[in-house]
Amino acid sequence: MTKKDLSFDEKVEFIANFIGDNFLRVARALRELQDEQPDIFLKVVELAGLSNRKAYALARISRQFDDLGASEERLYSIGWTKLQIIGRYLTEDNGEYLLQLAELNTAHDLEALLRGETPVEDAKVVQFYLSANDYKRLRSKLVTHGAVVSGNGLAKKELALMKLLSDSD
């Protein structure tokens, strides 16, 4: 039996069984499903418990990296998050360079480097859990102090926070 012969339920089970450490298998299955049966792609994604964003990202990773010549072991060790990041910059000529960059850096530092910035050495992570109103207030203050709205998040938020703190001294 080929993958084309799998029933809808079997495809859902196939994807659900390989989420996690087997993201390349999930990525390939999603890409094949998207190419061969796009009308049920999002339904399978929903039933598998994936977000649409992650499903599209995984399918894109399969399209971008399957023919690059890198070993699966190498791609697994880099991880899907970093592959998604470098995929935005991938060309025929820079694949090996980007893979090496991903292997040597954290996802956060990798994003900074690819934007042409210098990552902060020995950076510390700060995580907040805020109410919706407090988040709106913080976001507004950060934007006022130089943060840039980027999708659902903010870019340059660290600089904006430090400027906010300096202005309040």
Side-chain angles (χ1 to χ4, degrees), residues 4-23:
K4 288 181 182 180
D5 296 330
L6 292 175
S7 71
F8 178 78
D9 289 338
E10 289 168 326
K11 287 182 180 185
V12 171
E13 184 178 345
F14 173 79
I15 291 171
N17 286 336
F18 289 106
I19 294 174
D21 292 338
N22 296 300
F23 72 88

Side-chain angles (χ1 to χ4, degrees), residues 11 15 27-42 44-45 52 55-63:
K11 287 182 180 185
I15 291 171
R28 285 188 195 107
L30 288 170
R31 183 197 71 218
E32 288 176 16
L33 185 62
Q34 192 178 40
D35 291 346
E36 296 169 12
Q37 297 181 11
D39 53 317
I40 66 167
F41 175 76
L42 290 177
V44 171
V45 166
N52 291 354
Y56 282 114
L58 287 168
R60 188 170 37 260
I61 285 169
S62 176
R63 280 189 184 80

Side-chain angles (χ1 to χ4, degrees), residues 61-163:
I61 285 169
S62 176
R63 280 189 184 80
Q64 292 176 310
F65 292 96
D66 279 355
D67 296 330
L68 195 60
S71 72
E72 281 192 8
E73 181 178 290
R74 186 177 189 194
L75 296 176
Y76 276 123
S77 71
I78 291 171
W80 82 272
T81 300
K82 290 184 192 179
L83 290 176
Q84 179 184 6
I85 293 167
I86 65 175
R88 294 182 223 140
Y89 300 88
L90 188 65
T91 67
E92 290 180 17
D93 302 324
N94 68 3
E96 181 58 30
Y97 167 74
L98 290 174
L99 290 171
Q100 288 177 7
L101 205 59
E103 289 170 321
L104 297 172
N105 293 282
T106 65
H108 184 268
D109 288 354
L110 181 61
E111 287 201 42
L113 289 166
L114 291 171
R115 285 192 308 261
E117 301 170 1
T118 303
V120 176
E121 198 169 314
D122 197 28
K124 305 296 181 218
V125 176
V126 177
Q127 185 173 4
F128 297 104
Y129 292 92
L130 302 172
S131 69
N133 286 338
D134 288 344
Y135 175 75
K136 284 180 188 177
R137 287 180 49 220
L138 176 62
R139 183 179 171 103
S140 174
K141 290 285 187 185
L142 291 176
V143 168
T144 300
H145 286 83
V148 178
V149 175
S150 176
N152 288 331
L154 296 173
K156 301 184 180 183
K157 59 189 162 282
E158 296 87 353
L159 293 172
L161 178 59
M162 297 317 295
K163 187 173 185 310

